[in-house]
Amino acid sequence: MTVPALEADALGKRFGRRAWALRDCSFRLPAGRVCAVVGPNGAGKSTLLALAAGLLAPTEGTVRVLGAHPATARPRVGFVSQDKPLYPQLTVAETLRMGADLNPGHWDADTAHRAVAGGDLDPGRRIRALSGGQRTRVALALALGKRPELLLLDEPMADLDPLARHELMGLLMGEAAAHGTTVVMSSHVVAELEDSCDHLLLVGGGQVRLSGAIDDLLAAHTRVTAPAGADLAPHEVVESRTTGRQLSAVIRPSGPLPDDWRAHTPSLEELVLSYLRNPAAPAPAPAPEILEAAV
Amino acid sequence: MTAALTTPAAPAAARPAGVPRQWRWLARLHRPSLIGGGALVLLAAAALVWLGGPLTDASAAAWKAYNACGFTPRCSYDQSAILLYKDVYNYVTFAVLAVPFLVAAWAGGALVGRETESGTARLAWTQGVSPARWLASRLVLPAVLTVAGTGLLAALHRWAWATGRDRIDTTKSWYDAATFHANGIVPVGLALAGLAAGALAGLVLRRATAALAAAAVAVGVLWGAVHAALPYLWPSVTRVTTLDEGPLGSGLHVGEGVLTAGGGRAAAPCLTSQMQSCRDTLADMGATAFYRDLHPASHYWPLQLVATGILLAVAGLLTYAAFRVLRRTTGTARG
């Protein structure tokens, strides 16, 4: 079994004396996945990514990145934070040259230039003169040029118009597929990630609510419509609602369903929302492939 | 850009352990500050050379003419040369002493505070530069430039002051507070402490303006503390004089008073027994002599060295604290 790209064990982070931003997070992300970190604003997504990037020290628990301490793994990890910090006084070309100088021995100028070229960017323009989307493009180029084994992206597409988002996502996925890069990207817009990700990490209220391959998670859940008053036991209920004479629910079936229930596979968005709307919903047992990875 | 042509090396171990070329980018990012700071230093240096050369000569000539006048009622000397010398002397002394404050404010505001506030520090840390290396680069190069710039100005100040010392009647004494500091190495120690304080403030506060202010205040407090402690940083010399003479001796004063018959020291109620009332008071308290504790001119360098040593120790502690803060926040296992 290969080393997991990201592995958290009872991970927690508290800022000062304030409430916990993240607590008791345990999950395991196999290498080579494209993982969506989904959750509402303030759920702890950014904290989780910063911990993985070795920019923050955990208050409790551990996080292992590519099998190593985050600080040790840092040269092999790319990171783009939510506000896409860049030096405003440098030009686009200078920023890329800086990337080459700061990453000696593992800088891929072609990839970096390709990421920038798609945006019709004048290399001589200063970063401070760029739009939000253009800055995102340069920040991504810096992260991709480093040719990381693990790429951590915090809300990477937030500033992009749909066209640029599609184009950059394509570039990102192409690079990830070509080099076997593990990608972890956060968003509070599920639809943004649905097409490109094969793994889900749902964060809510500072906790990991769901973690696993998206296909497995969807297969493990069923959206049912049943007559009002139907008994949902023994299935595990994530969410149930009664409207008029109808009951609709998202459940994890633990056996065959009655014939008079209409059942179908939920969409990813439905699944995510059902968990977010119901903080008390029980977390499923780890999917089999994750248990396998743990061996 | 040959790296693009090589096949991607998947295992990290296969990567050559090249050292990131940070210096070039540090210089590029702070090019305006480097140019501005360099220009300020050169300007102040030019002013000091002007002061020590032509201005000193003109002022000395004017004093010579003035002293030659004696009591001649109509006698002319170049008064403006004397005044210009005094003005320029005061300005450049102020300029030399302002350098540590400027260094501290720049270190807190621009060097570290702006990067921690805007997040570009994180950008550097997630490139091939570890946080510790990042901080080290931001301390070493500025420290070298600070020592060079401050040292040059202080040396020139000393030279300008020394050339005028015996020729210009109103030259400041060596123990005049501003002259004492500007003539020596205290500004260098103070500037280095300011640099470290700025870096620490930038890391802790993560706000450019707050770090700028905190670092400048820290330099002010440090300087005040060192100045207050200055008389006690080296054993002083005691000069004992008769009751008739009163306390005597010029230099950096530490304290003065009267010696009593019992061998004790007491505060002086008055300063000479030539006055009847004073003589009576002194007799009543059993005073035998006046004393004055002071530092003669020969103590100048010992005092400067001890004061600068303390400042360098503080700078070292602040630097250590900055690395500790960085390590604690980023969870860096090793440098």
Side-chain angles (χ1 to χ4, degrees):
Chain A
M1 207 66 216
T2 52
V3 181
L6 201 56
E7 184 179 19
D9 185 22
L11 185 65
K13 176 69 189 175
R14 182 170 58 178
F15 293 101
R17 295 268 151 265
R18 282 178 285 158
W20 292 83
L22 205 64
R23 188 139 207 209
D24 202 22
C25 285
S26 300
F27 65 89
R28 189 182 281 254
L29 173 68
R33 297 299 178 97
V34 179
C35 175
V37 180
V38 175
N41 290 325
K45 302 189 295 287
S46 296
T47 305
L48 180 62
L49 290 178
L51 284 166
L55 295 173
L56 283 179
T59 311
E60 56 176 37
T62 54
V63 57
R64 309 271 302 166
V65 178
L66 302 166
H69 189 279
T72 317
R74 216 187 269 118
R76 298 152 64 195
V77 175
F79 176 73
V80 176
S81 83
Q82 198 169 354
D83 43 4
K84 322 285 183 309
L86 293 167
Y87 293 106
Q89 66 267 49
L90 299 186
T91 64
V92 173
E94 279 179 318
T95 302
L96 294 186
R97 268 212 303 284
M98 183 184 74
D101 275 355
L102 297 189
N103 294 288
H106 55 97
W107 177 255
D108 183 350
D110 275 357
T111 305
H113 282 122
R114 208 159 43 226
V116 168
D120 197 21
L121 269 177
D122 173 8
R125 284 198 66 194
R126 291 194 192 280
I127 298 293
R128 70 161 64 88
L130 301 184
S131 71
Q134 290 170 320
R135 285 173 58 117
T136 301
R137 198 177 275 282
V138 178
L140 272 175
L142 264 189
L144 282 173
K146 188 182 175 179
R147 180 148 298 170
E149 292 166 53
L150 170 65
L151 190 53
L152 303 165
L153 308 171
D154 196 359
E155 302 271 359
M157 305 293 163
D159 295 325
L160 297 176
D161 60 74
L163 203 64
R165 180 179 304 180
H166 190 260
E167 190 253 314
L168 265 187
M169 202 62 129
L171 177 80
L172 200 61
M173 292 306 129
E175 292 296 322
H179 305 294
T181 314
T182 310
V183 181
V184 178
M185 60 175 117
S186 75
S187 177
H188 57 276
V189 185
V190 181
E192 196 174 286
L193 304 167
E194 197 162 6
D195 300 336
S196 22
C197 298
D198 55 14
H199 204 93
L200 178 76
L201 196 63
L202 177 61
V203 184
Q207 308 240 302
V208 171
R209 303 287 309 283
L210 268 183
S211 152
I214 290 177
D215 289 345
D216 294 347
L217 289 173
L218 292 179
H221 292 79
T222 305
R223 209 167 93 85
V224 295
T225 315
D231 184 12
L232 293 171
H235 313 293
E236 281 185 83
V237 182
V238 178
E239 178 183 56
S240 79
R241 248 183 323 190
T242 308
T243 11
R245 288 177 297 165
Q246 217 179 40
L247 178 145
S248 51
V250 174
I251 61 168
R252 283 198 299 276
S254 54
L257 302 174
D259 290 339
D260 59 337
W261 291 11
R262 275 188 293 131
H264 57 258
T265 310
S267 73
L268 182 62
E269 186 148 26
E270 278 170 344
L271 183 67
V272 165
L273 287 176
S274 69
Y275 272 90
L276 291 180
R277 274 196 296 258
N278 299 276
E289 63 87 24
I290 297 182
L291 284 178
E292 197 180 297
V295 176
Chain B
M1 306 283 164
T2 49
L5 301 173
T6 60
T7 46
R15 286 174 177 166
V19 178
R21 286 188 286 176
Q22 280 204 80
W23 304 104
R24 179 179 159 189
W25 293 99
L26 184 65
R28 169 63 190 89
L29 290 172
H30 296 285
R31 196 162 62 191
S33 308
L34 278 175
I35 294 171
L40 278 179
V41 167
L42 287 181
L43 203 68
L48 281 162
V49 170
W50 187 43
L51 177 77
L55 288 189
T56 299
D57 290 343
S59 182
W63 276 107
K64 209 169 168 185
Y66 174 79
N67 289 332
C69 285
F71 293 98
T72 319
R74 295 175 68 84
C75 174
S76 76
Y77 65 98
D78 189 359
Q79 191 185 28
S80 63
I82 291 173
L83 293 178
L84 183 65
Y85 174 88
K86 279 185 74 168
D87 282 347
V88 172
Y89 182 87
N90 287 336
Y91 292 144
V92 293
T93 304
F94 176 81
V96 171
L97 297 178
V99 170
F101 289 91
L102 292 177
V103 170
W106 174 78
L111 184 65
V112 175
R114 191 161 64 194
E115 291 222 27
T116 49
E117 180 175 339
S118 69
T120 46
R122 284 181 153 200
L123 176 73
W125 303 344
T126 48
Q127 295 293 306
V129 183
S130 76
R133 270 173 183 266
W134 172 86
L135 180 58
S137 78
R138 267 142 186 84
L139 288 174
V140 172
L141 185 65
V144 170
L145 295 177
T146 297
V147 169
T150 321
L152 172 74
L153 291 186
L156 282 174
H157 190 278
R158 181 165 188 85
W159 165 78
W161 171 80
T163 52
R165 184 172 33 176
D166 303 323
R167 299 155 64 201
I168 296 170
D169 290 22
T170 49
T171 317
K172 298 275 191 198
S173 60
W174 68 269
Y175 50 85
D176 167 75
T179 300
F180 177 92
H181 292 295
N183 269 352
I185 50 179
V186 163
V188 178
L190 208 52
L192 286 177
L195 177 66
L200 178 62
L203 286 173
V204 171
L205 301 172
R206 288 182 222 164
R207 315 268 317 186
T209 41
L212 182 153
V217 168
V219 168
V221 169
L222 258 181
W223 193 16
V226 164
H227 188 71
L230 194 60
Y232 312 102
L233 296 182
W234 196 253
S236 57
V237 171
T238 303
R239 175 145 182 217
V240 177
T241 45
T242 65
L243 292 176
D244 192 48
E245 289 171 321
L248 286 180
S250 75
L252 188 65
H253 291 194
V254 182
E256 61 182 37
V258 293
L259 299 174
T260 57
R265 289 179 157 201
C270 47
L271 292 179
T272 171
S273 62
Q274 289 172 11
M275 282 164 68
Q276 182 64 46
S277 61
C278 188
R279 192 184 317 151
D280 293 345
T281 319
L282 289 170
D284 285 348
M285 63 191 296
T288 56
F290 280 105
Y291 76 91
R292 177 176 277 174
D293 291 335
L294 56 82
H295 293 287
S298 63
H299 286 191
Y300 180 78
W301 284 113
L303 286 171
Q304 279 278 340
L305 284 169
V306 174
T308 308
I310 291 171
L311 288 169
L312 289 180
V314 171
L317 284 176
L318 290 170
T319 305
Y320 175 73
F323 276 100
R324 278 296 298 267
V325 165
L326 193 63
R327 179 182 286 205
R328 273 191 49 184
T329 49
T330 61
T332 305
R334 300 165 276 286

